Amino acid sequence: MNLENVLYEVDGGVAFVTVNRPDKMNALNHQTLTELGQAFDAAKADGAVRAVVVTGSGEKAFVAGADIGELLQVAGNAQGAADLAGFGQSIFRKLEDLGKPSVAMVNGFALGGGCELALACTLRTASTSARMGLPEVSLGIIPGYGGSQRLARIASPGVAREWILTGDMFGAEDAHRVGVINRIFAPEELREGTLKMVGSMLAKGPVALRFGMEAVLRGWDMTQPEGEAMETEYFGKASETEDMKEGMSAFLEKRRPEFKGC
Ligand code: COA
């Protein structure tokens, strides 16, 4: 991979994907989105990667949004703007389709497209100094990378309306209170705390993790009975794995399970 604006590093089963334009607050231009797509594809294809952590370079920003200079180029061009939104959405959807958990480690400003990138991850951690929001209305637009849909589902339609319509920035505590952020840490403990959370997932059976993620994600758009039928299917499929036998035997034998992912 020939990446300029994204750093990609695999360590201990975790792929670290870092947006690396700190002088531009890690804003997402077309090249950076393309490179993110390449990094997510690589993480999906690599069997040694069991989880992905997405973060931003530097002290100040996770990602401060889509690149506003590029956005201006599609002003007055509805098709061009729709294509741009569709492109960003397709990149972020790769995160949901990884088949392994992803965690946004929000280390500073996560605004607009940056907030939407975090929302596309399976889980989110943040430093107490992080600031999040969807300020697109301040620029005369609305979120275009899936944020209006994911925020309404992850938090609530009421929270999505508040964030999208006011364009206000929210601190990590506020984002945690409404369920956008799963865990918050002091800035110097963010990495360690995030890796601890990732570690507790890595100790579990990969197939069970994938089924659990898919059950929640697919259930978003289902009625309760439809969702329960789908859950039953996954439950049945999980029971066919070697990992089920291993997990239960290990419990009864009072030892740590050794999951094989099959
Ligand atoms: N797109 C393009 N460039 C951006 C950017 C974005 N979304 N966010 C920040 N930058 C650039 C700035 O233009 C500036 O570039 P310059 O040094 O060449 O002038 C550089 O990053 C530093 O940003 P600056 O605004 O000077 O830093 P700050 O600490 O004063 O403010 C923010 C930080 C994040 C509050 C502010 O940059 C901001 O509001 N950014 C836009 C957020 C936004 O509206 N995002 C949604 C886009 S859809």
Side-chain angles (χ1 to χ4, degrees):
M1 262 188 303
N2 192 12
L3 304 177
E4 273 180 37
N5 296 342
V6 169
L7 306 175
Y8 182 81
E9 182 201 353
V10 179
D11 186 13
V14 182
F16 293 87
V17 177
T18 306
V19 181
N20 187 32
R21 293 181 81 203
D23 55 324
K24 293 289 175 196
M25 297 276 162
N26 302 321
L28 299 175
N29 60 4
H30 193 276
Q31 182 182 339
T32 309
L33 281 171
T34 304
E35 292 183 11
L36 278 177
Q38 290 174 307
F40 299 150
D41 287 344
K44 182 173 185 170
D46 185 347
V49 170
R50 298 206 29 224
V52 174
V53 171
V54 181
T55 193
S57 273
E59 300 293 306
K60 292 184 81 171
F62 172 75
V63 167
D67 190 298
I68 296 171
E70 279 191 0
L71 285 180
L72 183 59
Q73 289 170 19
V74 295
N77 174 1
Q79 188 57 53
D83 289 347
L84 196 130
F87 178 63
Q89 288 170 7
S90 72
I91 300 296
F92 289 7
R93 210 170 301 119
K94 286 176 188 284
L95 270 172
E96 281 181 343
D97 293 341
L98 280 177
K100 22 196 149 184
S102 56
V103 179
M105 186 165 75
V106 182
N107 55 323
F109 291 109
L111 302 173
C115 184
E116 294 175 288
L117 174 62
L119 289 166
C121 290
T122 319
L123 295 168
R124 284 150 293 283
T125 59
S127 88
T128 46
S129 58
R131 310 273 291 155
M132 301 187 76
L134 293 170
E136 285 88 346
V137 285
S138 318
L139 302 167
I141 53 172
I142 66 163
Y145 295 165
S148 62
Q149 305 309 299
R150 291 199 179 93
L151 184 56
R153 287 168 164 92
I154 289 168
S156 70
V159 168
R161 286 185 180 130
E162 182 188 4
W163 284 37
I164 292 167
L165 301 185
T166 65
D168 284 347
M169 276 195 228
F170 299 86
E173 295 277 356
D174 281 333
H176 181 243
R177 185 175 45 79
V178 298
V180 170
I181 292 296
N182 297 97
R183 297 188 190 178
I184 35 180
F185 302 98
E188 64 278 11
E189 287 164 11
L190 177 62
R191 191 178 166 91
E192 192 189 336
T194 303
L195 290 183
K196 200 170 166 202
M197 186 174 80
V198 170
S200 59
M201 292 191 280
L202 293 191
K204 311 300 187 298
V207 179
L209 287 186
R210 180 157 56 81
F211 288 171
M213 280 167 31
E214 285 176 11
V216 174
L217 188 63
R218 288 183 55 201
W220 273 350
D221 295 319
M222 291 181 181
T223 62
Q224 178 78 17
E226 285 168 351
E228 285 180 7
M230 181 254 318
E231 185 184 75
T232 308
E233 260 178 58
Y234 279 116
F235 193 85
K237 283 202 260 180
S239 76
E240 290 176 334
T241 61
E242 287 299 315
D243 281 355
M244 177 187 184
K245 282 185 215 147
E246 170 62 11
M248 300 203 176
S249 307
F251 175 81
L252 295 173
E253 293 161 17
K254 303 191 190 309
R255 60 175 174 81
R256 273 180 193 274
E258 282 181 31
F259 293 116
K260 300 217 160 44
C262 57

